[in-house]
Amino acid sequence: MKYYTMVEMAKIIGIPESSARGYRDRFLSYMTTTGQGRGKRYTEEALEALRIVATMSREGIPNEDIETSLEARFGVVIESQDSQSQTIVSSSQIVADQSQALVLAIMGEMAAMREQITALHAQLECREESRDQHLVAVMREIQEMRQEMHRPWWKKIFRKN
């Protein structure tokens, strides 16, 4: 990754250094940096943000619209308390939309799973009822066989109950 000074960025974009510093101060949250003081350097992303600001400002676009455009393109940069590291936070609207879509997708999947569970539960109850009926029939057969085994031999021969 390449880093630039404010003077270098102004020359690359073709604007006066004072204008570049003014744009930087107005849209500071989109200017990612490293270092401090005279050692502060701006990232390629900051160069791109400054280029967008300069172009839109020349066209007379209001600062609020420029801010919206930058937020959509880069997200918002929040400096930590030690001012050395910066974290890029994606646009809250994009995150909210993605979260909402994800929640809706999950809710749809949950509804489908509930339907499957209900169908499987009904199928299980049918199988349990069928199994119970079969079990009762087998138990009757076993009971009849036991009764047949315990009958005296002469009743078996003459077929008397």
Side-chain angles (χ1 to χ4, degrees):
M1 178 177 270
K2 191 168 181 180
Y3 296 98
Y4 305 94
T5 64
M6 183 55 65
V7 174
E8 291 171 335
M9 290 197 317
K11 284 181 184 176
I12 291 170
I13 295 172
I15 59 175
E17 182 185 346
S18 59
S19 297
R21 291 189 188 284
Y23 295 147
R24 177 205 60 196
D25 293 343
R26 252 183 271 154
F27 301 101
L28 191 59
S29 60
Y30 303 99
M31 303 295 162
T32 53
T33 63
T34 183
Q36 291 180 329
R38 294 182 145 251
K40 185 179 267 190
R41 299 291 182 259
Y42 297 88
T43 64
E44 292 173 350
E45 197 171 78
L47 175 65
E48 182 62 27
L50 188 61
R51 181 177 283 130
I52 291 169
V53 169
T55 302
M56 293 177 87
S57 291
R58 275 189 223 126
E59 294 172 3
I61 297 173
N63 286 343
E64 294 81 23
D65 293 342
I66 295 172
E67 176 108 21
T68 302
S69 177
L70 289 172
E71 186 175 330
R73 172 81 164 81
F74 300 106
V76 179
V77 176
I78 299 173
E79 284 194 39
S80 66
Q81 289 180 341
D82 64 3
S83 298
Q84 289 184 352
S85 64
Q86 297 177 336
T87 307
I88 297 177
V89 179
S90 61
S91 171
S92 60
Q93 184 61 42
I94 293 171
V95 171
D97 290 346
Q98 289 174 344
S99 297
Q100 185 177 12
L102 185 60
V103 167
L104 291 174
I106 290 171
M107 287 175 64
E109 286 180 31
M110 286 177 59
M113 289 176 149
R114 281 189 191 114
E115 289 176 13
Q116 279 183 323
I117 289 170
T118 302
L120 289 171
H121 188 64
Q123 188 179 22
L124 183 61
E125 284 179 358
C126 268
R127 286 184 179 179
E128 286 176 351
E129 188 176 319
S130 174
R131 182 204 63 202
D132 289 348
Q133 289 174 353
H134 181 70
L135 184 60
V136 167
V138 169
M139 288 174 67
R140 281 187 187 142
E141 285 180 32
I142 291 172
Q143 192 173 19
E144 288 173 3
M145 289 174 69
R146 281 187 179 164
Q147 286 176 351
E148 185 67 29
M149 288 175 55
H150 293 304
R151 283 182 25 191
W153 63 269
W154 54 274
K155 285 188 177 181
K156 288 179 188 175
I157 292 174
F158 297 113
R159 298 257 176 212
K160 293 187 180 182
N161 290 334

